[in-house]
Every structure is written in C-alpha cells, then in structure tokens.
Amino acid sequence: MTTAQAQDLLDQLAVIDAGSELAQARETRDAATRHAQGSYETIFSADDGVDFTLAERLLLAENVARWHGDSQLASHYAERLNALPDQGNTARLESALDHGERLSFKPASATAAHLQALQQAGWSLDAIVTLSQLIAFVSFQTRQLRSYRLIGGHSVENASDRKIAAGYWRHDGKTHSGRSAPKVFTQAELGWEPWIPSKKLEEFDAEQQAILARFGHTDSDYFRLLGRNLPVLEQRTLTDKGIFYTSGGLPRKEREIAATVASKINGCIYCASVHSRKASQLSKQTEDVQHLIDTAPGGILSEGQSPRWQAQIDFAAALSATPPTASSAHIARLREEGLSTLEIVDLAQSTAFFAWANRLMLTLGEPFDD
C-alpha cells in the first residue's frame, strides 16, 4: 500500500484490500481518488477564512452521515469532533441541521426562503455555500463507501433488492425571480439562477480568476457562487473530471446515464437535462434516454430498457436513495451483464458524484427555460 493510499479515508473505512481489483481500479482512477480525499481535507480543514468552525463542520457531518445510514463514517466524524480541545458554540447549528436534513432526504423541496432563514440565523453567504458543499460532499462519501464495501464483499446497512422509484420534483412554473421554470424533465438546454448572489468576477483576485478560467467557470453564475469557497470548488471540479473524463472502463455514455438516474431520484431537472442530453448524443439512443427521463414520480426508472441498462439503472437508483439501499444482488447483476470491477467503480462514482451535484443545484438556486 502506498503512502497516499494509507492516508485515504475511503480506503480505510471501506477496508479495501491492498492488491485487490478494487484497489487497482481506484489506482487507475487516481485523479478521482486523490481529489475525493482532497475535497475531504479541504472541507474539514476550516482554515479557508469562512466563518464556519471545524467543530460545527464535524458535528454537521456526523449527522449527515447518520441520516445516510453510514454509522462508520458518522463515528469517524464524531471521533474527530470529540478530539477537539474546544468544541465551540454550536447555538446556530439548529438551522444548519435543518438544512442538512432537508438536503439529505428531500433536496427538491428546498426554496429560496430556506437560504434566507440561514442568513437570519447568522450564516454568511460564504458560509452557506460551504455548509451546502459539506452536506452534499458527505452524501457523496456515503455512496462511495457503500459501493466499495459491496464490491469488496463486505456487509452493508439497509441493503435491499427493492427497486427505487423516481422522485418528486418542483413544477411551480415560475422561478423565485419570476422567470418561466420547467415543469417536466427535458433534454433541452436550460438556464440556472442562484438564490443568493454569485460573486462578481472582479471580486476574485488574479490568481483566483485564473483558477476559474482554467476550468471554464468564469461566466457561470453557478460556479462563481460556489467560488465563495474556491479551494473546495477546485477540489470538487478535479474530482468531477477524474470521474467523468477518464479513458477506459465504463463507456462515457453510461456514466452519463448514471448521472441522469441520480438526478431523477433527487428531482434535479437541470442536471438531468445536461446529462441526459450527453447520454443521447453519445449513445445515439435518444428514445431510450427520453423514456428514462419521462418516468413519473413513483415509476421504476429501468422499465423498458435493455438488460445491461436495467442492471445499471437499478443499481444507480438504489445507490441514490437516502439512505442508500444498493445490495450485493445489484453487484451480482452488474457482473452478470459483463461489467468489470473498474466499470462498476466508474458507475458507482458517477452516481455518487450526483448525490453531491444535485444537492447543490437544487438548494442554491433553480432552473429556468426562457
């Protein structure tokens, strides 16, 4: 085991055997592995200049991990919290815990008023972004851990072979600012507007502007909003690229299907529009992708798909539930369809990343279609 692996939190908590196919797959996906760890270290360093103490971060993370059914991850955060000499004043955490529970279980129910309530409770705009990143990131961690444990043959909590249905989404027809909002899932291009102000480009220094430009984030309200904590955004972007833009393993079209499935479970019309469109472009199976995104709340997403896509969709849906229910039976079916360990890791990571992405898109703003 390399030094980097020995220090990797997911490696430790998933008990990944050195030299196993899973360990080799994570080495192959080195960028995703390193920057998932980098995201953890950045979020829980609390030296980013944001008014959000380490004690507050760890207490919130412990609760989010428990809501997602991962007692080992929750214990990790509790141990770190208990080791602090001063656990600080957590009086304002009631509002943050309410936000965390909402993002965990029903992210599509979030509204602009919820962010206003956080501000009234004393959370700054920068802290609200960091708070949302933390909750969404721990959601991502729990799904990575579950998939690694299943691939490694370890037992998991809350396992079920029951098919997970498509989730609820907002369909008010108007955004908070009065723009026309999409009522149904679509492969068409959509806009997105934030509920709290994005930082203006001139508010970033030259080095920070260069980071935004390197990732193509300069003109995006969404990314300049996340830029309120730029170190976290940078690690998140590198994790994204390590998961979706790597060669070999699961075909890119199926990574995009996984992103679409997670977005259907969480009710994120914007993310589903982007990634269903990419899936259609790459697979040339536009009707099959449209059938997937047309699935009504309560409907089974895999119905009518090919056996290979059914196995992948059912696994991605079960991994996206809160708490996740993916089981060893899902892994067995993926292997029956010929997926290698690396391909299953790609599928799991693509799904898990959208536990993170959806929770930001749904709770910091909303899509518009005009």
Side-chain angles (χ1 to χ4, degrees), residues 214-338:
R214 177 158 62 99
F215 296 125
H217 294 342
T218 301
D219 298 324
S220 167
D221 277 338
Y222 174 63
F223 287 112
R224 283 189 285 104
L225 175 60
L226 296 185
R228 287 185 173 277
N229 190 325
L230 194 58
V232 174
L233 172 58
E234 183 175 18
Q235 287 299 317
R236 179 189 177 277
T237 302
L238 291 168
T239 305
D240 179 4
K241 290 184 178 299
I243 290 172
F244 282 93
Y245 297 90
T246 49
S247 60
L250 192 71
R252 172 74 182 280
K253 63 185 178 184
E254 293 177 339
R255 301 185 208 192
E256 299 294 348
I257 286 291
T260 304
V261 171
S263 300
K264 283 289 294 182
I265 296 297
N266 292 320
C268 188
I269 288 179
Y270 184 87
C271 289
S273 74
V274 173
H275 296 280
S276 64
R277 189 164 61 250
K278 288 183 180 177
S280 285
Q281 291 168 352
L282 294 168
S283 69
K284 311 302 181 188
Q285 296 175 241
T286 303
E287 291 184 4
D288 293 330
V289 175
Q290 188 64 42
H291 180 71
L292 170 64
I293 65 171
D294 283 343
T295 306
I300 301 304
L301 292 164
S302 62
E303 286 186 356
Q305 303 293 346
S306 68
R308 179 181 170 95
W309 277 21
Q310 283 184 351
Q312 293 184 51
I313 291 168
D314 285 339
F315 171 70
L319 195 60
S320 297
T322 303
T325 61
S327 69
S328 58
H330 289 104
I331 301 297
R333 281 198 291 276
L334 291 169
R335 294 201 182 279
E336 287 170 5
E337 290 301 321

